[in-house]
């Protein structure tokens, strides 16, 4: 969609209808529920694997902690989430590889114990088939390029394990790419970083440019021959934090054919929450030098702290819709998706307390004038297209 067309669409979509009567509210709720059931339902970033590995939780049960489990995925219409194998940046070298394998093993346990409810998906065809069978399609991504320990052979082994996406950096620079939340040292991607992008293209892995420095983002777009994703990022024009993206980045993403997954986390959505997020980024420190079980125990404390704390936020479901509106206006309807970061944040927006509440967001977007067709694009159709273009089927 051209920028002019996208702007016109957004103007129409942002017409608020004022106070709804009870009949109108019921009609919108019914339409939202129907769309949640019918859409492919892709969320391009959740961190739920930590709960399996650290807490030993069975995601086949409905929990009153965290944001995601299989019953709540069905309730919210999220049929095909990206399960992120997130490895904190204080896992060095081979320890980061080991942690990635531990997380992948935790996912395998889920696949084997709940094989009638969830299945690994490595292509767009897989996602469509698994969702049609009434199961959750799990698309696995690695969060943080430090997890390959500067070795393309490790990247290729991740591919053999069914991993089909990788975020180039996390919260700190690695040896070949600058992060959005660190002091630049590479001026974007190094020569090896460019090799990583080329190899991901060759293998058929989604290049994820959330978390990367702006220069890293543009370097990746210069190198890639396939669409990329910002799997969990929101709009810097609304909430000015470095992990969010500028309008210029959105234009470049649209030209590349990629998709931005609007993220819900504290600070990314509402500027009233942003200062606390910026402060947290500034004070983040590296862990003491550790390895093996000692390092795992240290990381487990972090995970339990995340899931044991619910942060009060100003952000609301309406704020999330504002970010979607802005992304549609700038990049076009074909380049916007959902990337909640559920189970990776301690303060989701009010009204979107967990993944089961996704119909509330759909209802707000319906009220703003989005068509069913365009909502199905946002709710997974656009991301499915990128997966198909990257994996080949």
């Amino acid at each position: 969609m051209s920028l002019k067309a996208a702007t016109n669409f957004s103007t129409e979509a942002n017409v608020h209808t004022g106070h709804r009567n009870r009949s109108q509210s019921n009609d919108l709720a019914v339409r939202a529920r129907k769309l949640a059931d019918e859409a492919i339902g892709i969320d391009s970033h959740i961190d739920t694997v930590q709960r399996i590995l650290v807490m030993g939780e069975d995601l086949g049960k409905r929990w009153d902690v965290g944001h995601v489990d299989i019953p709540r995925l069905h309730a919210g219409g999220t049929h095909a989430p990206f399960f992120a194998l997130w490895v904190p940046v204080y896992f060095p070298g081979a320890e980061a590889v080991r942690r990635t394998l531990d997380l992948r093993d935790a996912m395998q346990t889920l696949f084997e114990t709940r094989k009638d409810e969830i299945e690994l998906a490595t292509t767009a065809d897989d996602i469509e088939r698994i969702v049609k069978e009434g199961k959750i399609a799990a698309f696995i991504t690695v969060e943080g390029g430090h997890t390959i320990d500067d070795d393309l052979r490790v990247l290729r082994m991740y591919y053999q394990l069914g991993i089909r996406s990788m975020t180039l950096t996390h919260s700190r620079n690695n040896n070949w790419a600058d992060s959005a939340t660190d002091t630049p040292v590479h001026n974007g991607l190094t020569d090896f970083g460019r090799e990583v992008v080329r190899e991901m293209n060759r293998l058929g892995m989604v290049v994820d440019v959330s978390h990367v420095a702006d220069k890293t983002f543009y370097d990746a777009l210069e190198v890639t021959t396939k669409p990329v994703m910002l799997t969990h990022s929101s709009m810097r024009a609304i909430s000015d934090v470095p992990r969010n993206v500028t309008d210029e980045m959105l234009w470049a993403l649209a030209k590349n054919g990629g998709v931005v997954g609007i993220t819900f986390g504290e600070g990314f959505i509402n500027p009233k929450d942003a200062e606390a997020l910026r402060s947290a980024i500034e004070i983040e420190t590296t862990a003491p030098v550790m390895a093996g079980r000692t390092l795992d125990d240290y990381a487990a404390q972090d995970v339990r702290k995340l899931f044991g704390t619910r942060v009060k936020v100003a952000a609301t479901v309406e704020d999330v819709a504002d970010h979607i509106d802005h992304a549609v206006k700038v990049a076009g309807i074909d380049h916007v998706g959902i990337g909640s970061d559920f189970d990776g944040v301690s303060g989701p927006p009010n009204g979107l307390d967990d993944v089961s509440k996704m119909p509330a967001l759909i209802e707000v977007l319906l009220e703003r004038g989005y068509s069913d067709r365009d909502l199905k694009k946002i709710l997974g159709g656009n991301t499915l297209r990128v997966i198909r273009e990257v994996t080949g089927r």
Side-chain angles (χ1 to χ4, degrees):
M1 181 184 289
S2 69
L3 181 58
K4 180 178 179 180
T7 303
N8 290 339
F9 173 88
S10 182
T11 301
E12 294 172 1
N14 276 303
V15 175
H16 289 262
T17 57
H19 295 292
R20 292 178 280 161
N21 61 39
R22 183 173 300 177
S23 176
Q24 290 171 324
S25 295
N26 288 342
D27 288 347
L28 282 175
V30 170
R31 284 183 63 196
R33 178 68 265 167
K34 185 171 184 289
L35 272 169
D37 290 338
E38 292 177 351
I40 200 69
I42 299 178
D43 183 329
S44 55
H45 195 89
I46 63 171
D47 279 300
T48 310
V49 190
Q50 305 292 325
R51 289 172 44 208
I52 307 173
L53 178 65
V54 175
M55 276 83 90
E57 292 180 7
D58 176 4
L59 295 188
K61 300 177 181 178
R62 186 169 187 136
W63 293 84
D64 57 3
V65 296
H67 307 137
V68 175
D69 47 50
I70 291 173
R72 284 185 286 179
L73 285 168
H74 285 302
T78 300
H79 311 297
F82 282 39
F83 281 87
L85 310 185
W86 166 60
V87 177
V89 293
Y90 53 72
F91 276 81
E95 287 290 338
V97 178
R98 181 181 64 81
R99 180 70 167 193
T100 304
L101 296 177
D102 285 349
L103 289 161
R104 178 62 184 86
D105 181 69
M107 281 301 300
Q108 193 63 33
T109 298
L110 179 63
F111 295 146
E112 292 172 1
T113 57
R114 294 287 180 174
K115 60 183 178 182
D116 295 330
E117 300 172 63
I118 186 168
E119 184 178 337
L120 174 66
T122 60
T123 66
D125 287 351
D126 282 348
I127 290 173
E128 290 182 314
R129 172 186 58 79
I130 294 165
V131 170
K132 188 175 181 180
E133 292 172 359
K135 296 187 289 187
I136 299 299
F139 196 83
I140 301 182
T141 180
V142 171
E143 187 170 18
H146 62 292
T147 60
I148 68 169
D149 194 18
D150 307 333
D151 191 339
L152 294 181
R153 293 179 181 86
V154 175
L155 178 69
R156 289 192 283 269
M157 288 309 301
Y158 288 168
Y159 180 86
Q160 292 298 321
L161 292 171
I163 295 165
R164 291 296 182 269
S165 173
M166 184 173 73
T167 318
L168 298 185
T169 68
H170 194 246
S171 59
R172 292 291 179 258
N173 304 332
N174 55 42
N175 290 332
W176 45 270
D178 287 331
S179 167
T181 48
D182 201 352
T183 303
V185 294
H186 305 302
N187 190 31
L189 284 176
T190 67
D191 288 343
F192 179 75
R194 290 176 169 84
E195 286 186 51
V196 171
V197 172
R198 293 188 191 100
E199 185 65 0
M200 291 178 71
N201 284 170
R202 187 191 71 81
L203 289 169
M205 295 179 71
V206 175
V207 175
D208 179 5
V209 284
S210 281
H211 279 288
V212 305
D214 292 8
K215 180 60 164 58
T216 306
F217 170 88
Y218 287 112
D219 284 355
L221 288 188
E222 183 180 339
V223 174
T224 187
T225 58
K226 296 182 179 181
V228 304
M229 286 195 66
L230 289 153
T231 62
H232 54 304
S233 299
S234 287
M235 306 295 104
R236 208 178 296 176
I238 299 175
S239 187
D240 187 11
V241 292
R243 273 262 289 101
N244 280 347
V245 295
T246 66
D247 289 1
E248 290 77 14
M249 294 167 79
L250 288 173
W251 294 330
L253 182 76
K255 184 177 180 181
N256 162 265
V259 170
V260 56
I262 302 299
T263 196
F264 300 171
E266 63 265 30
F268 298 107
I269 297 299
N270 188 306
K272 293 179 181 178
D273 303 317
E275 184 54 43
L277 177 63
R278 284 191 292 265
S279 298
I281 291 169
E282 289 172 4
I283 65 173
E284 182 178 344
T285 58
T286 57
V289 177
M290 294 178 287
R293 180 61 62 85
T294 304
L295 181 56
D296 291 346
D297 290 344
Y298 181 91
Q301 291 177 12
D302 277 357
V303 172
R304 291 191 177 97
K305 182 178 179 180
L306 173 66
F307 289 108
T309 305
R310 175 60 190 267
V311 176
K312 289 185 66 175
V313 296
T316 68
V317 63
E318 295 277 357
D319 291 325
V320 176
D322 289 345
H323 283 259
I324 291 172
D325 283 346
H326 188 89
V328 168
K329 176 181 177 180
V330 175
I333 192 66
D334 294 322
H335 304 286
V336 183
I338 300 295
S340 68
D341 208 3
F342 277 138
D343 280 334
V345 297
S346 24
N350 296 293
L352 281 172
D353 307 277
D354 64 35
V355 72
S356 71
K357 304 301 192 299
M358 279 297 295
L361 175 59
I362 300 171
E363 191 171 342
V364 171
L365 295 173
L366 284 170
E367 187 178 13
R368 294 188 180 195
Y370 285 83
S371 69
D372 289 9
R373 178 176 177 270
D374 286 338
L375 282 174
K376 286 181 179 179
K377 289 184 177 184
I378 293 169
L379 295 171
N382 291 333
T383 300
L384 191 72
R385 170 186 57 79
V386 170
I387 293 171
R388 193 179 305 281
E389 291 183 31
V390 170
T391 67
R393 58 189 179 92

